């Protein structure tokens, strides 16, 4: 009986363990299947995103634009845009399409420009002192160190797509195009090896109606087997424009939130006319700059300098973008710089000021009490004398 009971108990234990192991194996299999489906989904629906145009990866590739930063320089007649993308994904090549209001010249930009602008516009750090101790200060935390506080030419009917020019610039194959038919433009790009979303033609229609031109860029690393990842070399576009405009309408096709940083160089402080479907634009720097402030910046500003406005904007839902950014001069050229504060406990001769003050008050009160007691004793002693 004991032996039979032991066998039954052993079988019962292993039965429970077997069921537990089976459940774990099922969960692991489900996780693996979910991961495989996610990978297949990324191949079926490649990600493309760009804060100013349309970034289109090749077939069965993924790409996302984490950050787009641009320097826009406008003198009232000519506009220059120097753009830099930080991308992620596994695409060995991709296409980028940028509408422009007039014929554009394209060249490589200076990669040092953005680092110099970041330094020039970085927030000012100031120190603010506080009197009473906080959670990280003694006596609450003996090792605390304070709290530190972010037109087309006249003539016969123009062809639906015209190639104005094409050149190789580093990792970029640049084609400058005209188009009177967004569908024909899409066909031209597909013929050159790039898949486009079906709704891109609809997004291009307003630019076709306004007779804009286009800069199409093939991002193809020269190194075999390389993929587009990290910060790409900047490109500089120059075109005539009687208003300061930054094309954004195509970015409504993006499938992920967009982050845009603009450095605007003009005669005055500038601001967007509207938020165009994103969060309210934030000014993080405004002030006059000159060639002496930055060698790379001097190529854009010239010897006389210009007013620099640094603008950040976030688009949590790109499909709400309903227009291009048009910028205008503000009422006054008020300078501005963000200030970050470091909060420190006020000290006096190496001792927290609150402790010295409380200690001093305690000593004074003690002296007053002792002095008062001494006077009372002396008065009583004087009253009993003959």
């Amino acid at each position: 009986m004991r032996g039979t009971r032991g066998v039954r108990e052993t079988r019962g234990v292993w039965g429970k363990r077997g069921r537990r192991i089976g459940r774990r194996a099922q969960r692991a299999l489900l996780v693996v299947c979910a991961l495989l489906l996610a990978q297949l989904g990324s191949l079926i629906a490649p990600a493309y995103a760009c804060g100013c145009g349309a970034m289109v990866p090749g077939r069965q590739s993924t790409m996302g634009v984490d950050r787009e930063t641009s320097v826009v320089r406008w003198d009232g007649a000519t506009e220059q845009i120097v753009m830099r993308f930080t991308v992620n994904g596994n695409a060995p090549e991709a296409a980028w399409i940028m509408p422009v209001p007039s014929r554009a010249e394209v060249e490589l930009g200076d990669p040092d420009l953005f680092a110099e602008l970041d330094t020039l516009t970085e927030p000012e750090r100031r120190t603010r002192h506080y009197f009473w101790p906080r959670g990280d200060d003694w006596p609450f935390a003996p090792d605390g160190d304070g709290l530190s506080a972010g037109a087309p030419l006249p003539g016969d009917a123009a062809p639906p797509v015209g190639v104005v020019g094409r050149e190789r610039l580093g990792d970029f194959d640049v084609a400058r195009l005209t188009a009177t038919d967004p569908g024909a433009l899409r066909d031209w790009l597909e013929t050159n090896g790039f898949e486009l979303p079906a709704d891109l033609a609809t997004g291009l229609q307003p630019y076709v109606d306004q007779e804009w031109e286009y800069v199409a860029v093939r991002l193809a690393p020269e190194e075999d087997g390389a993929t587009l990842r990290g910060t790409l070399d900047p490109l500089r576009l120059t075109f005539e424009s009687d208003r300061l405009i930054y094309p954004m309408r195509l970015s409504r096709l993006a499938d992920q939130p967009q982050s845009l940083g603009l450095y605007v160089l003009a005669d005055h402080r500038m601001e967007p006319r509207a938020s165009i479907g994103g969060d309210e634009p934030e000014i993080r720097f405004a002030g006059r700059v000159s060639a002496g402030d930055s060698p790379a910046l001097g190529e854009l500003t010239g010897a006389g300098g210009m007013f620099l406005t640094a603008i950040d904007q976030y688009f949590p839902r790109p499909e709400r973008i309903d227009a291009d950014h048009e910028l205008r001069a503000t009422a006054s050229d008020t300078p501005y710089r963000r200030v970050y504060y470091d909060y420190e406990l006020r000290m006096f001769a190496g001792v927290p000021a609150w402790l010295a003050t409380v200690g001093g008050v305690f000593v004074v009160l003690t002296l007053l009490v002792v002095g008062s007691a001494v006077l009372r004793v002396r008065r009583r002693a004087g009253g009993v004398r003959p």
Side-chain angles (χ1 to χ4, degrees):
M1 293 296 292
R2 290 183 180 178
T4 304
R5 181 181 179 185
V7 170
R8 290 177 179 174
E9 290 179 352
T10 303
R11 288 177 178 175
V13 170
W14 280 105
K16 293 178 181 178
R17 289 181 180 177
R19 286 194 294 272
R20 285 198 291 267
I21 293 173
R23 285 195 295 268
R24 291 175 182 172
Q26 290 175 356
R27 285 196 294 266
L29 182 60
L30 288 174
V31 171
V32 171
C33 290
L35 291 174
L36 289 174
L37 287 174
Q39 292 295 324
L40 290 173
S42 67
L43 295 177
I44 295 170
Y48 59 93
C50 175
C52 66
M55 186 77 75
V56 185
R59 187 186 296 271
Q60 293 188 341
S61 299
T62 62
M63 170 174 283
V65 178
D66 293 334
R67 174 75 172 173
E68 177 192 351
T69 307
S70 295
V71 181
V72 183
R73 190 249 191 209
W74 185 65
D75 60 9
T78 302
E79 182 172 339
Q80 295 185 42
I81 300 178
V82 185
M83 1 188 49
R84 184 186 66 177
F85 299 105
T86 301
V87 301
N88 65 76
N90 62 2
E93 61 182 25
W96 166 65
I97 306 165
M98 175 74 165
V100 288
S102 62
R103 186 146 302 171
E105 297 295 330
V106 186
E107 57 188 324
L108 288 176
D110 189 340
D112 294 333
L113 174 62
F114 296 91
E116 294 176 5
L117 281 171
D118 288 343
T119 301
L120 186 62
T121 61
E122 64 184 4
E124 179 183 352
R125 303 201 72 92
R126 298 179 184 175
T127 300
R128 279 182 172 174
H129 292 92
Y130 55 92
F131 183 79
W132 293 110
R134 298 180 178 179
D136 292 335
D137 299 319
W138 185 88
F140 305 109
D143 296 330
D145 58 353
L147 178 66
S148 294
L153 298 175
D156 295 334
V161 178
V163 180
V164 177
R166 191 167 186 175
E167 51 267 342
R168 181 81 186 193
L169 300 174
D171 290 335
F172 303 105
D173 178 15
V174 181
R176 291 171 291 146
L177 308 170
T178 62
T180 58
D181 180 357
L185 176 59
R186 180 172 180 266
D187 292 341
W188 185 94
L189 291 166
E190 287 185 349
T191 300
N192 283 267
F194 299 101
E195 296 292 332
L196 295 177
D199 53 354
L200 181 64
T202 303
L204 288 170
Q205 189 63 54
Y207 298 111
V208 173
D209 295 341
Q210 297 177 72
E211 299 182 346
W212 281 33
E213 296 191 3
Y214 310 88
V215 175
V217 183
R218 181 198 298 270
L219 292 78
E222 294 180 334
E223 182 181 351
D224 291 338
T227 59
L228 296 168
R229 182 182 296 273
T231 300
L232 307 179
D233 289 333
L235 278 178
R236 180 161 70 178
L237 285 67
T238 305
F239 51 89
E240 294 182 359
S241 181
D242 58 0
R243 57 193 177 121
L244 204 171
I245 191 166
Y246 190 77
M248 286 289 298
R249 196 188 305 265
L250 287 183
S251 55
R252 67 181 303 163
L253 303 177
D255 60 359
Q256 57 184 306
Q258 300 290 282
S259 176
L260 175 66
L262 282 181
Y263 292 101
V264 183
L265 291 164
D267 293 335
H268 301 282
R269 174 172 167 169
M270 307 297 287
E271 65 180 1
R273 289 182 177 272
S275 59
I276 65 169
D279 292 348
E280 279 298 317
E282 295 184 6
I283 304 295
R284 60 181 175 87
F285 178 87
R288 292 207 167 270
V289 295
S290 63
D293 296 323
S294 159
L297 186 60
E299 298 181 10
L300 294 175
T301 63
M306 302 187 81
F307 201 100
L308 171 64
T309 311
I311 304 169
D312 287 333
Q313 189 175 16
Y314 184 64
F315 297 88
R317 299 186 62 181
E319 70 274 11
R320 292 184 175 180
I321 297 175
D322 56 7
D324 296 320
H325 257 321
E326 185 174 351
L327 295 101
R328 61 185 177 185
T330 58
S332 61
D333 293 338
T334 305
Y336 171 78
R337 182 189 293 270
R338 282 180 176 173
V339 178
Y340 289 164
Y341 289 97
D342 295 322
Y343 290 87
E344 296 180 0
L345 181 66
R346 189 175 296 280
M347 306 292 286
F348 177 75
V351 178
W354 71 270
L355 184 59
T357 302
V358 171
V361 171
F362 179 78
V363 170
V364 171
L365 291 175
T366 301
L367 291 176
L368 289 175
V369 170
V370 172
S372 177
V374 170
L375 287 176
R376 285 198 299 269
V377 170
R378 288 181 177 178
R379 288 174 183 172
R380 291 174 184 174
V384 299
R385 286 181 181 179

